[in-house]
Amino acid sequence: MVAGARILAAEAAQRRRRLLLWIAGFGALSLCIALAARLADTSLARLIDGFPHIEGFFAQALPHLSSEHLLGDVRTQGSLHYWFYDIGKWLGLIATSINMALMATFLGVLAGWPLSFLAARNLSPSPAVSLVTRRLLDLLRALPDLVVALVLVMALGVGPLAGVLAIAIHTSGALGKLIAEANENAPMQAREAMIAAGAGWVTQMRFAIVPQTLPNVVSYLLIRLEINVAAAAAIGFVGAGGIGQEFMAALSLGLLPDALAILVLIVGLIMAIDMISQAVRRRLSGARA
Amino acid sequence: MTLSLSGLTKEYDGKRALNSVTLDIPRGGFTGIIGRSGAGKSTLLRLINRLIEPTTGEINHDGIDVRALRGKALRAWRADAAMVFQQFNLVPRLDVLTNVLTGTLGRRPAFSSFLKWFSDEERRRAVALLERFDLGDTWAQAAGTLSGGQQQRVAIARAMMQSPRLILADEPIASLDVHNGKVVMDMLARICREDGMTIICNLHDLDAAMSYCDRLIGLAAGSVVFDGPPAAFDAAARRAVYGDET
């Protein structure tokens, strides 16, 4: 079988080429990492040298808890309540951060979802609109929310409003891009039928695309909400409201046990949001099956 | 005697899709399963391959209790009872040769398969199968770019790559035009003739069933209502299988 031998030889050559490409790619990547470490003056030794300083921070920040007074009241030294003496205020600020995240996610999807239809290459009214929308989404996404928040704090003053707007801007770019991809991958037969039936562009999107991408959109939205809760907690560092602002204040006043207590609350908050969102997602996907 | 089914029943939520089917299918024949849609044809083939589990009944192949198979033995049985699907079920983005090579996965270790380390012998067999069925030129193309008829032929080559004992074809030509349907049926008939392969084929196209099969099994509402050679398929049998309107 002459032709068979030719195919086998061609296939073997193709495999050799691919293997060489892999090796070359892996080598280049390793080289880049080594070079980057060199340029950034990073080494394992530095990391190891730095560790005692982290330990030093915790030595100052760890509260002095005593086992016999652990459940004592706020005036008892060594009790949990003594450590978390301002728990009421902190929980209020946590609620503020959650509200910031909810509001920012809502505003972000309000802007990002409509833009996603204009950005989708196969749905957009014209290639130019698609191109411009894509670059706009890139821009929105590329602006780091901390930098935007800093600018907005200067313009609007200290408080949650600046944080909400900063996170919303980033969210609209990120969600717009993700939903645009989902829109592009949606099966197009239903849309063809709507065009054939004389439907306009907006109704085509509403009836042929949205129902097909909705499960994806909800899933993206929940993941984004998780990310935004973490972002809302952090964005207070630059004065944009919520629990992060309190954390920064405690740090700058040298109240390290306070800062650690707030950090514990933030970690708990993010874990809780993660679990809730995971449960909601599982329920949604279960309902579809 | 190779495959023997007895009292095979499948219920979905209390509704009977297949009702106590008892059949003996000897080695080497071309058996057509006919019936209206919903009569239980697909259910029967999927039960044999154990893609689904029966509610009650037995499946026996050369004295082996197929229902009792687990783990590696079950995977080997699935490789033995190769499936061919109505929608081809190829991996559209993988090239034709790799699609055919996936036919070996039921009998290979996971690690080397994961890294696409197929042996030279396996590659030679895959290429020989492609050549045998005039698909050699397509070996490097993504399977999704082929015509429906070509895709189904690649899918049958994949089934042959499994070194099967029987081929279970579930409506193999229902998605194809008349010409490609004939090409695919000719290919199955050729495999039956040249390799002595046992073929069990679901068909809703009665003309194709009459001209290619040496035995017809008629299903209606999950029960066997006809079993015999095409020559014996008379007007009464037709009424029993398809109801009155044909």
Side-chain angles (χ1 to χ4, degrees):
Chain A
M1 214 175 270
V2 185
R6 209 180 56 233
I7 292 171
L8 283 168
E11 199 264 348
Q14 186 190 63
R15 253 183 304 142
R16 267 196 306 278
R17 262 197 319 277
R18 285 192 183 156
L19 184 66
L20 281 176
L21 267 173
W22 263 98
I23 293 170
F26 196 75
L29 185 67
S30 310
L31 203 71
C32 286
I33 291 172
L35 211 67
R38 187 70 177 270
L39 282 174
D41 197 17
T42 305
S43 69
L44 214 56
R46 258 179 81 121
L47 200 62
I48 293 164
D49 288 345
F51 259 119
H53 298 290
I54 298 175
E55 214 184 297
F57 168 81
F58 278 103
Q60 289 179 57
L62 277 177
H64 300 287
L65 295 175
S66 73
S67 50
E68 63 236 58
H69 300 304
L70 206 57
L71 301 175
D73 67 5
V74 71
R75 271 181 286 274
T76 316
Q77 283 216 13
S79 77
L80 276 174
H81 200 174
Y82 185 80
W83 182 24
F84 283 88
Y85 66 94
D86 224 356
I87 183 78
K89 179 181 166 199
W90 292 337
L91 286 179
L93 286 168
I94 290 254
T96 305
S97 286
I98 294 174
N99 283 336
M100 285 168 67
L102 285 169
M103 195 64 204
T105 310
F106 175 70
L107 290 177
V109 78
L110 213 61
W113 203 354
L115 287 175
S116 76
F117 297 101
L118 298 174
R121 271 180 277 254
N122 53 349
L123 299 177
S124 189
S126 87
V129 171
S130 163
L131 191 81
V132 171
T133 314
R134 273 169 185 280
R135 294 296 82 79
L136 175 67
L137 289 175
D138 287 346
L139 183 72
L140 293 172
R141 203 169 61 253
L143 293 169
D145 47 14
L146 277 175
V147 174
V148 176
L150 227 116
V151 174
L152 288 176
V153 165
M154 284 195 273
L156 305 171
V158 170
L161 183 61
V164 167
L165 286 178
I167 299 173
I169 286 172
H170 186 82
T171 299
S172 66
L175 274 181
K177 162 99 173 164
L178 279 173
I179 302 174
E181 302 273 334
N183 289 342
E184 282 182 355
N185 290 328
M188 288 297 142
Q189 291 90 330
R191 185 183 176 219
E192 195 180 23
M194 309 241 165
I195 295 172
W201 189 80
V202 172
T203 40
Q204 285 165 32
M205 298 303 115
R206 166 67 186 81
F207 288 101
I209 306 299
V210 170
Q212 299 196 78
T213 55
L214 198 58
N216 274 333
V217 172
V218 171
S219 178
Y220 294 156
L221 206 67
L222 285 169
I223 294 171
R224 201 64 229 179
L225 182 63
E226 282 174 43
I227 298 171
N228 284 352
V229 168
I235 208 155
F237 297 174
V238 295
I243 188 73
Q245 201 170 321
E246 184 75 3
F247 177 78
M248 207 56 200
L251 263 191
S252 53
L253 292 175
L255 303 170
L256 294 189
D258 289 26
L260 191 62
I262 293 169
L263 205 59
V264 168
L265 289 177
I266 291 176
V267 170
L269 164 72
I270 288 167
M271 281 169 134
I273 290 288
D274 220 79
M275 284 189 297
I276 292 168
S277 140
Q278 205 172 40
V280 172
R281 270 207 304 276
R282 194 170 306 141
R283 175 163 294 193
L284 284 177
S285 64
R288 276 200 308 278
Chain B
M1 191 66 54
T2 99
L3 182 69
S4 113
L5 315 174
S6 77
L8 207 56
T9 297
K10 176 67 181 178
E11 290 180 356
Y12 291 105
D13 302 323
K15 201 173 157 286
R16 285 217 161 170
L18 208 63
N19 184 25
S20 189
V21 168
T22 299
L23 285 174
D24 281 330
I25 296 176
R27 192 187 305 278
F30 198 132
T31 302
I33 298 173
I34 55 174
R36 294 162 61 160
S37 55
K41 303 191 296 290
S42 286
T43 304
L44 180 58
L45 288 198
R46 284 164 182 269
L47 282 171
I48 295 172
N49 175 279
R50 288 219 20 217
L51 274 172
I52 52 178
E53 298 295 331
T55 309
T56 55
E58 277 161 37
I59 306 168
N60 210 286
H61 185 261
D62 283 346
I64 291 166
D65 178 5
V66 170
R67 277 194 72 182
L69 299 176
R70 297 280 177 276
K72 208 170 177 174
L74 173 60
R75 288 176 49 206
W77 165 250
R78 285 176 169 158
D80 280 338
M83 288 285 303
V84 173
F85 299 90
Q86 178 177 347
Q87 295 298 337
F88 328 130
N89 296 18
L90 298 173
V91 188
R93 284 175 42 79
L94 279 180
D95 61 69
V96 165
L97 186 66
T98 310
N99 264 290
V100 174
L101 283 166
T102 61
T104 63
L105 295 180
R107 306 188 202 274
R108 298 179 97 259
F111 182 71
S112 65
S113 301
F114 189 87
L115 295 174
K116 279 200 192 175
W117 283 343
F118 296 102
S119 71
D120 286 347
E121 167 59 22
E122 285 164 333
R123 281 175 220 280
R124 258 198 301 279
R125 272 185 53 221
V127 168
L129 278 167
L130 288 177
E131 287 282 288
R132 178 177 167 195
F133 300 113
D134 294 325
L135 293 160
D137 293 338
T138 67
W139 72 272
Q141 284 186 49
T145 64
L146 301 182
S147 75
Q150 284 175 315
Q151 288 194 44
Q152 192 60 295
R153 279 151 65 209
V154 171
I156 296 172
R158 174 179 65 184
M160 288 299 285
M161 195 69 200
Q162 294 176 214
S163 308
R165 313 276 289 276
L166 51 149
I167 288 181
L168 309 167
D170 190 5
E171 297 283 6
I173 60 171
S175 307
L176 303 176
D177 63 49
V178 175
H179 169 73
N180 277 308
K182 185 177 177 324
V183 172
V184 164
M185 287 308 287
D186 284 342
M187 180 172 171
L188 287 171
R190 185 177 158 200
I191 289 166
C192 181
R193 195 174 59 242
E194 291 177 0
D195 301 64
M197 184 66 65
T198 310
I199 303 219
I200 307 173
C201 186
N202 287 348
L203 289 164
H204 72 250
D205 177 351
L206 185 60
D207 291 337
M210 295 288 273
S211 47
Y212 283 95
C213 303
D214 49 44
R215 176 186 180 187
L216 295 182
I217 291 163
L219 284 180
S223 299
V224 175
V225 294
F226 176 82
D227 185 355
F233 194 75
D234 53 16
R238 182 184 284 249
R239 261 196 309 282
V241 174
Y242 292 105
D244 284 324
E245 83 273 26
T246 37

